[in-house]
Amino acid sequence: MPTYITLMNWTDQGVREYKDTAKRAETFGAAAQKMGAKLLNIYWTVGPYDLVAVVEAPDDETATAALLHLGGAGNIRSTTLRAFDRGEMERIITKATG
């Protein structure tokens, strides 16, 4: 399944409610699962991003739906990156080199 790395920052609302962040992560994982995606892990970070999530989804549409659901709660703003594992990258290189 495709993997997505999501870099997140809390909104003003999200940081005001920081005590609920672990519960919100659990809620997001359950909602993503219902949509056909899977929250593999979430990390609370120090630096330019407050959180980093690793999500698997069967396609871009499912990943986008899950992340829109997350963002719609108003606690975070996100940037999502499509990540390629080694096998996927080897197939991409094969296609690129003919």
Side-chain angles (χ1 to χ4, degrees):
M1 231 186 322
T3 302
Y4 302 84
I5 308 297
T6 301
L7 308 172
M8 297 176 277
N9 282 309
W10 281 330
T11 61
D12 289 342
Q13 172 184 308
V15 78
R16 272 194 308 273
E17 303 295 330
Y18 72 91
K19 291 179 183 178
D20 297 332
T21 187
K23 179 89 170 158
R24 290 193 309 249
E26 185 179 316
T27 300
F28 169 61
Q33 187 118 17
K34 286 181 184 175
M35 292 180 213
K38 182 177 180 183
L39 176 61
L40 296 180
N41 217 328
I42 189 163
Y43 302 95
W44 287 261
T45 57
V46 176
Y49 297 99
D50 298 315
L51 304 102
V52 176
V54 181
V55 176
E56 279 186 345
D59 51 52
D60 292 347
E61 292 84 1
T62 303
T64 301
L67 294 163
L68 280 172
H69 179 79
L70 174 63
N75 295 306
I76 59 102
R77 295 284 179 254
S78 66
T79 300
T80 300
L81 310 165
R82 169 64 166 91
F84 299 93
D85 65 22
R86 182 182 176 134
E88 290 170 316
M89 195 63 215
E90 287 173 349
R91 288 190 299 277
I92 290 167
I93 291 167
T94 298
K95 286 183 180 184
T97 59

